[in-house]
């Protein structure tokens, strides 16, 4: 739990109760208790993590997510996006739900101990889940934007080439998958960056399996695939909604933006409903579309949709052909050849 050092002006602003002779120490202790309501997120899978003197996001118990506003210009661009997105009348309401709710900006104690810093106040997408399984997927075969410096372009291009971005149009940036009870399989980010197309497909199967683990020899059973990926409210249907909009929208281009996919296995088991959600996050590099379709984002989104559609198809085949052939062999010999 993050407990920031209270600034002097906040300590002095606390009421001084002369009746019980509350000392400065007492008031400081009270303020620390209030500050302890801010904590490091338990379920962050990508981006800079707070703690150990590092700047990162914080959360509270009311379902809010506090993201530090970067000082190099990216932060102001993301604030501008959230502030102005409501004014884009061409974004329909069923698409707006894919953006985290924006609660403005706020000065709070930074996680690195540097004092009060401005933060975006957003919806904590994971607050309604007990043990959420999460995948953060950066969309687009290129993550650099046209106006970027040559140095930045080369930096992004190297990362896009070394990961699956260039080949697949997207890459997994981070993930955690509930394995047993409250335990998670959460591979190191350096390992995730090296994922091949086959490993990406494997992880997308593990995401909806009851036997997910770090053991590469375990074949994912895809137990939850029809509930999480399929159905009218499943992840695939939500991605298709986004795809339909991106096929026509020309007002914005999203570079280095991520798709978050989240669900709770406990809901699937107990309620036969995953509560699966798709959210778009990270808007530091959103630019005017100027009447042109965002083919970079659309292409990556279509590629992700194809992968998930194949997994659903394989799952259907497993059920229908289980008595005729080995499901493991069928899925890999029939689906893998389509990409």
């Amino acid at each position: 739990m993050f407990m920031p050092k209270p600034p002097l002006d906040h300590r002095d602003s606390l009421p001084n109760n002369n009746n019980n002779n509350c000392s400065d120490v007492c008031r400081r202790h009270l303020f620390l208790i209030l500050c302890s309501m801010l904590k490091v997120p338990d379920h962050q899978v990508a981006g800079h993590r707070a703690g150990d003197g590092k700047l990162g996001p914080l959360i509270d118990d009311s379902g809010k997510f506090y993201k530090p506003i970067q000082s190099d210009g990216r932060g102001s661009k993301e604030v501008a996006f959230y502030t102005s997105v409501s004014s884009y009348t061409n974004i329909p309401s069923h698409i707006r739900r894919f953006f985290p709710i924006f609660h403005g900006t706020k000065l709070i104690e930074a996680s690195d101990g540097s004092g009060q810093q401005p933060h975006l106040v957003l919806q904590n997408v994971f607050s309604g889940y007990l043990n959420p399984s999460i995948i953060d997927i950066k969309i687009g075969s290129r993550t650099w934007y046209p106006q970027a410096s040559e140095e930045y372009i080369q930096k992004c291009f190297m990362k896009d080439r070394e990961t699956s971005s260039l080949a697949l149009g997207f890459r997994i940036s981070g993930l955690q998958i509930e394995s047993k009870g409250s335990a998670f399989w959460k591979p190191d980010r350096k390992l995730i960056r090296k994922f091949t197309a086959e490993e990406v497909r494997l992880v997308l199967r593990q995401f909806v399996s009851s036997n997910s683990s770090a053991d590469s020899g375990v074949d994912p059973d895809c137990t939850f695939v029809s509930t999480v990926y399929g159905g009218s409210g499943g992840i695939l249907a939500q991605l298709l909604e986004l795809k339909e909009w991106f096929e026509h929208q020309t007002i914005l281009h999203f570079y280095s933006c991520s798709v978050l996919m989240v669900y709770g296995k406990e809901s699937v088991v107990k309620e036969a409903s995953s509560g699966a959600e798709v959210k778009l996050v990270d808007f530091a590099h959103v630019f005017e579309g100027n009447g042109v379709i965002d083919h970079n984002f659309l292409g990556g989104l279509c590629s992700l949709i194809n992968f998930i559609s194949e997994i659903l198809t394989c799952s259907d085949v497993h059920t229908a052909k289980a008595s005729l052939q080995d499901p493991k062999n069928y899925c890999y010999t029939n689906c893998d050849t389509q990409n």
Side-chain angles (χ1 to χ4, degrees):
M1 181 176 291
F2 169 66
M3 295 183 67
K5 180 180 178 181
L8 183 62
D9 58 338
H10 275 220
R11 293 199 307 268
D12 291 345
S13 66
L14 289 170
N16 186 4
N17 191 337
N18 294 323
N19 292 332
N20 58 12
N21 296 318
C22 181
S23 66
D24 288 342
V25 174
C26 292
R27 286 186 283 124
R28 178 183 173 85
H29 180 67
L30 175 60
F31 186 78
L32 285 173
I33 292 175
L34 295 175
C35 286
S36 70
M37 296 174 65
L38 293 177
K39 49 195 174 185
V40 176
D42 291 327
H43 305 301
Q44 183 181 347
V45 299
H48 300 289
R49 185 169 177 81
D52 299 324
K54 296 180 180 179
L55 184 64
L58 301 168
I59 60 172
D60 63 18
D61 292 328
S62 69
K64 292 185 176 64
F65 179 88
Y66 299 84
K67 181 179 180 179
I69 296 175
Q70 295 166 298
S71 58
D72 58 1
R74 289 178 292 177
S76 59
K77 289 179 181 177
E78 188 159 29
V79 171
F81 170 80
Y82 275 111
T83 303
S84 62
V85 71
S86 60
S87 67
Y88 287 107
T89 57
N90 290 335
I91 301 180
S93 58
H94 71 279
I95 296 299
R96 293 180 193 277
R97 70 186 177 94
F98 292 111
F99 301 120
I101 298 171
F102 177 52
H103 297 285
T105 62
K106 188 173 184 179
L107 282 173
I108 65 169
E109 289 295 313
S111 63
D112 61 355
S114 60
Q116 287 197 326
Q117 299 291 340
H119 287 64
L120 280 165
V121 185
L122 305 169
Q123 169 194 8
N124 179 5
V125 177
F126 311 133
S127 64
Y129 299 90
L130 181 61
N131 298 307
S133 292
I134 306 161
I135 296 187
D136 183 307
I137 300 177
K138 194 168 291 294
I139 302 294
S141 59
R142 80 179 206 197
T143 54
W144 49 272
Y145 51 98
Q147 298 89 337
S149 66
E150 184 63 28
E151 180 183 0
Y152 184 82
I153 291 174
Q154 289 302 317
K155 177 183 176 182
C156 290
F157 178 73
M158 289 293 292
K159 187 177 290 187
D160 295 342
R161 186 173 63 179
E162 292 169 356
T163 64
S164 66
S165 290
L166 204 57
L168 302 181
F170 68 89
R171 69 171 178 258
I172 296 176
S173 295
L175 68 108
Q176 71 173 33
I177 303 174
E178 184 184 356
S179 54
K180 294 180 180 179
S182 58
F184 292 97
W185 175 52
K186 194 171 184 178
D188 185 81
R189 295 182 191 180
K190 291 181 180 179
L191 175 64
I192 293 173
R193 285 184 61 177
K194 298 178 181 178
F195 279 170
T196 63
E198 293 303 317
E199 289 168 329
V200 167
R201 181 177 285 109
L202 178 64
V203 166
L204 289 172
R205 294 178 66 219
Q206 290 173 312
F207 187 59
V208 290
S209 296
S210 65
N211 61 342
S212 304
S213 74
D215 185 357
S216 58
V218 176
D219 184 42
D221 56 27
C222 295
T223 298
F224 311 124
V225 64
S226 60
T227 307
V228 177
Y229 286 157
S232 59
I235 283 175
L236 180 59
Q238 294 178 58
L239 292 175
L240 288 171
E241 267 192 88
L242 279 173
K243 172 179 172 286
E244 183 180 6
W245 182 63
F246 272 94
E247 286 176 332
H248 300 95
Q249 78 89 10
T250 60
I251 56 176
L252 296 170
H253 284 193
F254 295 79
Y255 295 98
S256 200
C257 176
S258 288
V259 163
L260 278 181
M261 305 191 308
V262 56
Y263 80 100
K265 286 186 178 180
E266 71 281 352
S267 297
V268 178
V269 174
K270 296 179 181 179
E271 305 170 18
S273 172
S274 66
E277 284 188 283
V278 169
K279 293 289 184 182
L280 297 178
V281 296
D282 299 334
F283 305 112
H285 301 302
V286 177
F287 294 84
E288 294 292 333
N290 297 320
V292 179
I293 289 175
D294 187 356
H295 291 288
N296 180 60
F297 190 96
L298 177 60
L301 185 61
C302 288
S303 178
L304 175 60
I305 287 171
N306 286 340
F307 270 73
I308 291 177
S309 297
E310 289 173 3
I311 293 170
L312 269 168
T313 301
C314 287
S315 176
D316 292 340
V317 170
H318 281 187
T319 302
K321 303 290 186 179
S323 61
L324 300 178
Q325 63 187 121
D326 185 351
K328 177 181 178 181
N329 293 337
Y330 185 92
C331 190
Y332 277 93
T333 57
N334 285 269
C335 285
D336 290 358
T337 57
Q338 297 181 23
N339 269 307

